[in-house]
């Protein structure tokens, strides 16, 4: 429940706290998505990544286009 703490060391649960965390995660997702697209668009970098991580590494760009 809102503002409830389970122990003295816990951060109180607040709507604002979770909204801020969600916004931080969304910002990180946007940045990571942009970096992933940059890597995919660079043929030499894409080849290196696919060699180490597998050819399906960039499939997320096709499966979930932004």
């Amino acid at each position: 429940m809102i503002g409830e703490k389970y122990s003295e060391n816990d951060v109180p649960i607040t709507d604002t706290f979770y909204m801020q965390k969600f916004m931080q995660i969304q910002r990180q997702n946007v940045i990571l998505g942009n970096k992933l697209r940059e890597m995919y668009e660079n043929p030499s970098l894409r080849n290196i990544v696919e060699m180490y991580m597998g050819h399906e590494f960039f499939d997320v760009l096709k499966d979930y286009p932004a």
Side-chain angles (χ1 to χ4, degrees):
M1 312 341 161
I2 296 175
E4 184 176 343
K5 291 175 70 173
Y6 297 101
S7 75
E8 288 304 313
N9 296 329
D10 285 347
V11 175
I13 299 170
T14 63
D15 289 341
T16 304
F17 172 77
Y18 286 108
M19 285 304 295
Q20 288 173 345
K21 283 294 173 190
F22 175 77
M23 289 167 40
Q24 288 172 350
I25 291 168
Q26 287 303 96
R27 277 188 226 113
Q28 290 174 347
N29 287 340
V30 168
I31 291 167
L32 290 171
N34 290 342
K35 295 293 181 188
L36 189 61
R37 272 186 285 289
E38 287 176 22
M39 290 168 53
Y40 181 77
E41 292 169 359
N42 181 325
S44 60
L45 189 54
R46 181 175 61 231
N47 290 335
I48 292 169
V49 170
E50 288 178 340
M51 183 174 66
Y52 284 101
M53 304 300 291
H55 291 286
E56 66 282 342
F57 184 82
F58 292 106
D59 286 353
V60 70
L61 295 174
K62 297 172 197 158
D63 296 342
Y64 303 97

Coordinates of all heavy atoms in Angstrom, one line a residue:
M1 N 0.8 -1.1 0.0 CA 0.0 0.0 0.0 C 0.9 1.3 0.0 O 2.0 1.2 0.3 CB -0.9 -0.1 1.2 CG -1.5 -1.5 1.3 SD -1.5 -2.5 -0.3 CE -1.8 -4.1 0.2
I2 N 0.3 2.4 -0.4 CA 1.0 3.6 -0.6 C 1.7 4.0 0.7 O 1.0 4.2 1.8 CB 0.1 4.7 -1.2 CG1 -0.4 4.2 -2.5 CG2 0.9 6.0 -1.2 CD1 -1.4 5.2 -3.2
G3 N 3.0 4.3 0.7 CA 3.7 4.8 1.8 C 4.0 3.7 2.9 O 4.7 4.0 3.9
E4 N 3.7 2.5 2.6 CA 3.9 1.4 3.6 C 5.4 1.0 3.5 O 6.0 0.8 2.5 CB 3.0 0.2 3.3 CG 3.1 -0.9 4.3 CD 2.1 -2.0 3.9 OE1 1.1 -1.8 3.2 OE2 2.3 -3.1 4.5
K5 N 5.9 0.8 4.7 CA 7.3 0.3 4.8 C 7.3 -1.1 5.6 O 6.5 -1.3 6.5 CB 8.2 1.3 5.7 CG 8.4 2.6 4.9 CD 9.1 3.6 5.8 CE 10.6 3.2 6.0 NZ 11.4 4.2 6.7
Y6 N 8.1 -2.0 5.1 CA 8.2 -3.3 5.7 C 9.2 -3.4 6.8 O 9.2 -4.2 7.6 CB 8.4 -4.4 4.6 CG 7.2 -4.4 3.7 CD1 7.2 -3.8 2.4 CD2 6.0 -5.0 4.0 CE1 6.2 -3.8 1.6 CE2 4.9 -5.0 3.2 CZ 5.0 -4.4 2.0 OH 3.9 -4.4 1.1
S7 N 10.2 -2.6 6.7 CA 11.3 -2.5 7.7 C 11.8 -1.1 7.7 O 11.5 -0.3 6.8 CB 12.3 -3.5 7.5 OG 13.2 -3.1 6.5
E8 N 12.7 -0.8 8.7 CA 13.2 0.6 8.8 C 14.2 0.9 7.6 O 14.4 2.1 7.2 CB 14.0 0.8 10.1 CG 13.1 0.9 11.3 CD 12.0 2.0 11.1 OE1 12.4 3.1 10.8 OE2 10.9 1.7 11.4
N9 N 14.7 -0.1 7.0 CA 15.6 0.1 5.8 C 14.9 0.2 4.5 O 15.6 0.6 3.5 CB 16.7 -1.0 5.8 CG 17.5 -1.1 7.0 OD1 17.8 0.0 7.6 ND2 17.9 -2.2 7.4
D10 N 13.7 -0.1 4.4 CA 12.9 -0.1 3.2 C 12.6 1.3 2.8 O 12.4 2.2 3.6 CB 11.6 -0.8 3.3 CG 11.8 -2.3 3.3 OD1 12.9 -2.8 2.9 OD2 10.9 -3.1 3.6
V11 N 12.6 1.5 1.4 CA 12.1 2.8 0.9 C 10.6 2.8 0.9 O 10.0 1.7 0.5 CB 12.6 3.0 -0.5 CG1 12.1 4.2 -1.2 CG2 14.2 3.0 -0.6
P12 N 9.9 3.8 1.4 CA 8.4 3.7 1.3 C 7.9 3.6 -0.1 O 8.5 4.2 -1.0 CB 8.0 5.1 1.9 CG 9.2 5.8 2.2 CD 10.4 5.0 1.9
I13 N 6.9 2.8 -0.3 CA 6.3 2.6 -1.6 C 5.4 3.8 -1.9 O 4.5 4.1 -1.2 CB 5.5 1.3 -1.6 CG1 6.4 0.1 -1.4 CG2 4.8 1.2 -3.0 CD1 5.6 -1.1 -1.2
T14 N 5.7 4.5 -3.0 CA 4.9 5.7 -3.4 C 4.7 5.6 -4.9 O 5.5 5.1 -5.6 CB 5.6 7.0 -3.0 OG1 6.8 7.1 -3.8 CG2 5.9 7.2 -1.5
D15 N 3.6 6.2 -5.3 CA 3.3 6.3 -6.7 C 4.4 7.0 -7.5 O 4.9 6.6 -8.5 CB 2.0 6.9 -7.0 CG 0.8 6.1 -6.6 OD1 1.0 4.9 -6.4 OD2 -0.3 6.6 -6.4
T16 N 4.9 8.1 -6.9 CA 5.9 8.9 -7.5 C 7.2 8.1 -7.7 O 7.9 8.2 -8.7 CB 6.2 10.2 -6.7 OG1 5.0 10.9 -6.5 CG2 7.2 11.1 -7.3
F17 N 7.6 7.4 -6.6 CA 8.8 6.6 -6.7 C 8.8 5.6 -7.9 O 9.7 5.5 -8.7 CB 9.0 5.8 -5.4 CG 10.1 4.8 -5.4 CD1 11.4 5.2 -5.3 CD2 9.8 3.4 -5.6 CE1 12.4 4.3 -5.3 CE2 10.9 2.5 -5.6 CZ 12.2 2.9 -5.5
Y18 N 7.7 4.9 -8.0 CA 7.5 3.9 -9.1 C 7.4 4.6 -10.5 O 8.0 4.0 -11.5 CB 6.4 2.9 -8.9 CG 6.7 1.9 -7.8 CD1 6.1 2.0 -6.6 CD2 7.6 1.0 -8.0 CE1 6.4 1.1 -5.6 CE2 8.0 0.0 -7.0 CZ 7.4 0.1 -5.8 OH 7.7 -0.7 -4.8
M19 N 6.8 5.7 -10.6 CA 6.7 6.4 -11.8 C 8.1 6.9 -12.2 O 8.5 6.8 -13.4 CB 5.8 7.6 -11.7 CG 4.3 7.2 -11.8 SD 3.9 6.2 -13.2 CE 4.1 7.4 -14.5
Q20 N 8.9 7.4 -11.3 CA 10.3 7.8 -11.6 C 11.1 6.6 -12.1 O 11.9 6.8 -13.0 CB 10.9 8.5 -10.4 CG 10.3 9.9 -10.1 CD 10.8 10.5 -8.8 OE1 11.4 9.8 -8.0 NE2 10.6 11.8 -8.6
K21 N 11.0 5.5 -11.4 CA 11.8 4.3 -11.8 C 11.3 3.9 -13.2 O 12.2 3.5 -14.0 CB 11.5 3.2 -10.8 CG 12.3 3.3 -9.5 CD 13.8 3.2 -9.9 CE 14.6 3.5 -8.7 NZ 16.0 3.7 -9.0
F22 N 10.0 3.9 -13.5 CA 9.6 3.5 -14.8 C 10.1 4.4 -15.8 O 10.6 4.0 -16.9 CB 8.0 3.5 -14.8 CG 7.4 3.2 -16.1 CD1 7.4 1.9 -16.6 CD2 6.9 4.3 -16.9 CE1 6.8 1.7 -17.9 CE2 6.4 4.0 -18.1 CZ 6.3 2.7 -18.6
M23 N 10.1 5.7 -15.6 CA 10.6 6.7 -16.5 C 12.1 6.5 -16.8 O 12.6 6.6 -17.9 CB 10.3 8.1 -16.1 CG 8.8 8.4 -16.2 SD 8.2 9.9 -15.4 CE 9.5 11.1 -15.7
Q24 N 12.9 6.2 -15.7 CA 14.3 5.9 -15.9 C 14.5 4.7 -16.7 O 15.4 4.7 -17.6 CB 15.0 5.7 -14.5 CG 15.1 6.9 -13.7 CD 15.6 6.6 -12.2 OE1 15.6 5.5 -11.8 NE2 15.9 7.7 -11.5
I25 N 13.8 3.6 -16.5 CA 13.9 2.4 -17.3 C 13.5 2.7 -18.7 O 14.2 2.2 -19.7 CB 13.0 1.3 -16.7 CG1 13.6 0.9 -15.3 CG2 12.9 0.1 -17.6 CD1 12.7 0.0 -14.5
Q26 N 12.5 3.5 -19.0 CA 12.1 3.8 -20.3 C 13.2 4.6 -21.0 O 13.5 4.3 -22.2 CB 10.8 4.5 -20.4 CG 9.6 3.7 -20.0 CD 9.5 2.5 -21.0 OE1 9.9 1.4 -20.7 NE2 8.9 2.7 -22.1
R27 N 13.8 5.5 -20.4 CA 14.9 6.3 -20.9 C 16.1 5.4 -21.3 O 16.7 5.5 -22.4 CB 15.4 7.4 -20.0 CG 14.5 8.6 -20.0 CD 15.2 9.8 -19.2 NE 14.1 10.3 -18.4 CZ 14.0 10.3 -17.1 NH1 14.9 9.7 -16.4 NH2 12.9 10.8 -16.5
Q28 N 16.4 4.5 -20.4 CA 17.5 3.5 -20.7 C 17.1 2.7 -21.9 O 18.0 2.4 -22.8 CB 17.7 2.6 -19.5 CG 18.3 3.3 -18.3 CD 18.4 2.4 -17.1 OE1 17.8 1.4 -17.0 NE2 19.2 2.9 -16.1
N29 N 15.9 2.2 -22.0 CA 15.4 1.4 -23.2 C 15.6 2.2 -24.5 O 16.0 1.6 -25.5 CB 14.0 0.9 -23.0 CG 13.9 -0.1 -21.9 OD1 14.8 -0.8 -21.6 ND2 12.6 -0.3 -21.4
V30 N 15.2 3.4 -24.5 CA 15.3 4.3 -25.7 C 16.8 4.4 -26.1 O 17.2 4.2 -27.2 CB 14.7 5.6 -25.5 CG1 15.1 6.6 -26.6 CG2 13.2 5.5 -25.4
I31 N 17.7 4.7 -25.1 CA 19.1 4.8 -25.4 C 19.7 3.5 -25.9 O 20.4 3.5 -26.9 CB 19.8 5.3 -24.1 CG1 19.4 6.8 -23.8 CG2 21.3 5.2 -24.3 CD1 19.9 7.3 -22.5
L32 N 19.4 2.4 -25.2 CA 19.9 1.1 -25.7 C 19.3 0.7 -27.0 O 20.1 0.2 -27.9 CB 19.5 0.0 -24.6 CG 20.3 0.1 -23.3 CD1 19.7 -0.8 -22.3 CD2 21.8 -0.1 -23.5
G33 N 18.1 1.0 -27.3 CA 17.5 0.7 -28.6 C 18.2 1.5 -29.7 O 18.5 1.0 -30.8
N34 N 18.5 2.8 -29.4 CA 19.2 3.6 -30.4 C 20.6 3.1 -30.6 O 21.1 3.1 -31.8 CB 19.3 5.1 -29.9 CG 17.9 5.8 -30.0 OD1 17.0 5.3 -30.7 ND2 17.8 6.9 -29.3
K35 N 21.3 2.7 -29.6 CA 22.7 2.2 -29.7 C 22.6 0.9 -30.5 O 23.5 0.6 -31.3 CB 23.3 2.0 -28.4 CG 23.6 3.2 -27.6 CD 24.6 4.1 -28.3 CE 24.9 5.3 -27.5 NZ 25.7 6.3 -28.2
L36 N 21.6 0.0 -30.2 CA 21.5 -1.2 -30.9 C 21.3 -1.0 -32.4 O 21.9 -1.7 -33.3 CB 20.4 -2.0 -30.3 CG 20.2 -3.5 -30.8 CD1 21.4 -4.3 -30.4 CD2 19.0 -4.1 -30.2
R37 N 20.5 0.0 -32.8 CA 20.3 0.3 -34.2 C 21.5 0.8 -34.8 O 21.9 0.5 -36.0 CB 19.1 1.3 -34.4 CG 17.8 0.6 -34.5 CD 16.7 1.6 -34.8 NE 16.3 2.4 -33.6 CZ 15.6 2.0 -32.6 NH1 15.3 0.7 -32.5 NH2 15.3 2.8 -31.6
E38 N 22.3 1.6 -34.1 CA 23.6 2.2 -34.6 C 24.5 1.0 -34.9 O 25.2 1.0 -35.9 CB 24.2 3.1 -33.6 CG 23.5 4.5 -33.5 CD 24.1 5.4 -32.5 OE1 25.3 5.1 -32.1 OE2 23.4 6.3 -32.0
M39 N 24.6 0.1 -34.0 CA 25.5 -1.1 -34.2 C 25.0 -1.9 -35.4 O 25.9 -2.4 -36.2 CB 25.4 -2.0 -32.9 CG 26.1 -1.4 -31.7 SD 25.8 -2.3 -30.2 CE 26.3 -3.9 -30.6
Y40 N 23.7 -2.1 -35.6 CA 23.2 -2.9 -36.7 C 23.5 -2.2 -38.0 O 23.8 -2.9 -39.0 CB 21.7 -3.1 -36.5 CG 21.1 -3.9 -37.6 CD1 21.2 -5.3 -37.6 CD2 20.4 -3.3 -38.6 CE1 20.7 -6.0 -38.7 CE2 19.8 -4.0 -39.7 CZ 20.0 -5.4 -39.7 OH 19.4 -6.2 -40.7
E41 N 23.4 -0.9 -38.0 CA 23.7 -0.1 -39.3 C 25.1 0.0 -39.7 O 25.4 0.3 -40.8 CB 23.0 1.3 -39.2 CG 21.5 1.2 -39.1 CD 20.9 2.5 -38.7 OE1 21.6 3.5 -38.5 OE2 19.6 2.6 -38.6
N42 N 26.0 -0.3 -38.8 CA 27.5 -0.3 -39.1 C 27.9 -1.8 -39.4 O 28.0 -2.6 -38.6 CB 28.2 0.1 -37.8 CG 29.7 0.2 -38.1 OD1 30.3 -0.6 -38.8 ND2 30.4 1.2 -37.4
P43 N 28.1 -2.1 -40.7 CA 28.3 -3.5 -41.2 C 29.5 -4.1 -40.5 O 29.4 -5.3 -40.1 CB 28.6 -3.3 -42.7 CG 28.0 -2.0 -43.1 CD 28.1 -1.1 -41.9
S44 N 30.6 -3.5 -40.3 CA 31.7 -4.1 -39.6 C 31.4 -4.4 -38.2 O 31.8 -5.5 -37.7 CB 33.0 -3.3 -39.8 OG 32.8 -2.0 -39.2
L45 N 30.8 -3.5 -37.5 CA 30.4 -3.7 -36.1 C 29.4 -4.8 -36.0 O 29.4 -5.7 -35.1 CB 29.9 -2.4 -35.5 CG 29.7 -2.4 -34.0 CD1 31.0 -2.8 -33.2 CD2 29.3 -1.0 -33.5
R46 N 28.4 -4.8 -36.9 CA 27.3 -5.8 -36.9 C 27.9 -7.2 -37.1 O 27.6 -8.1 -36.4 CB 26.3 -5.5 -38.0 CG 25.2 -6.6 -38.0 CD 24.1 -6.3 -39.1 NE 24.7 -6.3 -40.4 CZ 24.5 -5.3 -41.3 NH1 23.8 -4.2 -41.0 NH2 25.0 -5.3 -42.5
N47 N 28.9 -7.3 -38.0 CA 29.5 -8.6 -38.2 C 30.2 -9.1 -36.9 O 30.2 -10.3 -36.6 CB 30.5 -8.6 -39.3 CG 29.8 -8.4 -40.7 OD1 28.6 -8.8 -40.8 ND2 30.5 -7.9 -41.7
I48 N 30.9 -8.2 -36.2 CA 31.6 -8.6 -35.0 C 30.6 -9.1 -33.9 O 30.8 -10.1 -33.3 CB 32.5 -7.5 -34.5 CG1 33.7 -7.2 -35.4 CG2 33.0 -7.7 -33.1 CD1 34.4 -5.9 -35.2
V49 N 29.6 -8.3 -33.8 CA 28.6 -8.6 -32.7 C 27.9 -10.0 -33.1 O 27.8 -10.8 -32.2 CB 27.5 -7.5 -32.6 CG1 26.4 -8.0 -31.7 CG2 28.2 -6.3 -32.0
E50 N 27.6 -10.2 -34.3 CA 26.9 -11.4 -34.7 C 27.9 -12.6 -34.6 O 27.4 -13.7 -34.3 CB 26.4 -11.3 -36.2 CG 25.2 -10.4 -36.2 CD 24.6 -10.3 -37.7 OE1 25.4 -10.5 -38.6 OE2 23.5 -9.9 -37.8
M51 N 29.2 -12.4 -34.8 CA 30.1 -13.5 -34.7 C 30.2 -13.9 -33.2 O 30.2 -15.1 -32.9 CB 31.5 -13.0 -35.1 CG 32.6 -14.1 -35.1 SD 34.2 -13.5 -35.8 CE 34.7 -12.3 -34.6
Y52 N 30.1 -13.0 -32.3 CA 30.3 -13.3 -30.8 C 28.9 -13.7 -30.2 O 28.9 -14.5 -29.3 CB 30.9 -12.2 -30.1 CG 32.4 -12.1 -30.3 CD1 32.9 -11.2 -31.1 CD2 33.3 -13.0 -29.6 CE1 34.3 -11.1 -31.4 CE2 34.6 -12.9 -29.9 CZ 35.1 -12.0 -30.7 OH 36.5 -11.9 -31.0
M53 N 27.9 -13.0 -30.6 CA 26.6 -13.2 -29.9 C 25.6 -14.0 -30.7 O 24.5 -14.4 -30.2 CB 25.9 -11.8 -29.7 CG 26.8 -10.8 -28.9 SD 27.2 -11.5 -27.2 CE 25.7 -11.4 -26.4
G54 N 25.9 -14.3 -32.0 CA 24.9 -15.1 -32.8 C 24.2 -14.2 -33.8 O 24.0 -13.0 -33.5
H55 N 23.7 -14.8 -34.9 CA 23.1 -14.0 -35.9 C 21.7 -13.5 -35.5 O 21.1 -12.6 -36.1 CB 23.0 -14.8 -37.2 CG 24.3 -15.0 -37.9 ND1 25.0 -14.0 -38.5 CD2 25.1 -16.1 -37.9 CE1 26.1 -14.5 -39.0 NE2 26.2 -15.7 -38.6
E56 N 21.1 -14.1 -34.5 CA 19.8 -13.7 -34.0 C 19.8 -12.5 -33.0 O 18.8 -12.1 -32.6 CB 19.0 -14.9 -33.3 CG 19.7 -15.4 -32.1 CD 20.9 -16.3 -32.3 OE1 21.1 -16.8 -33.4 OE2 21.6 -16.4 -31.3
F57 N 21.0 -12.0 -32.7 CA 21.2 -11.0 -31.8 C 20.3 -9.7 -32.1 O 19.7 -9.1 -31.3 CB 22.6 -10.6 -31.6 CG 22.9 -9.5 -30.6 CD1 23.0 -9.9 -29.2 CD2 23.0 -8.2 -30.9 CE1 23.2 -8.9 -28.3 CE2 23.2 -7.2 -30.0 CZ 23.3 -7.6 -28.6
F58 N 20.3 -9.4 -33.4 CA 19.6 -8.2 -33.8 C 18.1 -8.5 -34.2 O 17.4 -7.6 -34.7 CB 20.3 -7.5 -35.0 CG 21.7 -6.9 -34.6 CD1 22.8 -7.6 -34.9 CD2 21.7 -5.8 -33.9 CE1 24.1 -7.0 -34.6 CE2 22.9 -5.2 -33.5 CZ 24.1 -5.9 -33.8
D59 N 17.7 -9.7 -34.0 CA 16.3 -10.0 -34.4 C 15.3 -9.2 -33.6 O 14.2 -8.9 -34.1 CB 16.0 -11.5 -34.1 CG 16.6 -12.4 -35.2 OD1 17.2 -11.9 -36.2 OD2 16.5 -13.6 -35.0
V60 N 15.6 -8.7 -32.4 CA 14.7 -7.9 -31.6 C 14.3 -6.6 -32.4 O 13.2 -6.1 -32.2 CB 15.4 -7.6 -30.2 CG1 16.5 -6.6 -30.4 CG2 14.3 -7.0 -29.3
L61 N 15.2 -6.1 -33.2 CA 14.9 -4.9 -34.0 C 13.8 -5.2 -35.0 O 13.0 -4.3 -35.4 CB 16.1 -4.4 -34.7 CG 17.2 -3.9 -33.8 CD1 18.5 -3.5 -34.6 CD2 16.8 -2.7 -33.0
K62 N 13.8 -6.4 -35.5 CA 12.7 -6.8 -36.5 C 11.5 -7.2 -35.8 O 10.4 -6.9 -36.2 CB 13.2 -8.0 -37.4 CG 14.4 -7.7 -38.2 CD 14.9 -8.9 -38.9 CE 16.4 -8.7 -39.4 NZ 17.1 -9.9 -39.6
D63 N 11.6 -7.9 -34.7 CA 10.4 -8.4 -33.9 C 9.7 -7.3 -33.2 O 8.5 -7.4 -33.1 CB 10.9 -9.5 -32.9 CG 11.5 -10.7 -33.6 OD1 11.3 -10.9 -34.8 OD2 12.2 -11.5 -32.8
Y64 N 10.4 -6.3 -32.8 CA 9.8 -5.2 -32.0 C 10.2 -3.9 -32.6 O 11.0 -3.2 -31.9 CB 10.1 -5.3 -30.5 CG 9.7 -6.6 -29.9 CD1 10.6 -7.7 -29.8 CD2 8.4 -6.8 -29.5 CE1 10.2 -8.9 -29.2 CE2 8.0 -8.0 -29.0 CZ 8.9 -9.0 -28.8 OH 8.5 -10.2 -28.3
P65 N 9.8 -3.5 -33.8 CA 10.3 -2.2 -34.3 C 9.7 -1.0 -33.5 O 8.6 -1.1 -33.0 CB 9.7 -2.2 -35.8 CG 8.5 -3.2 -35.7 CD 8.8 -4.2 -34.6
A66 N 10.6 0.0 -33.4 CA 10.2 1.2 -32.6 C 9.7 2.2 -33.6 O 10.1 2.3 -34.7 CB 11.4 1.6 -31.8

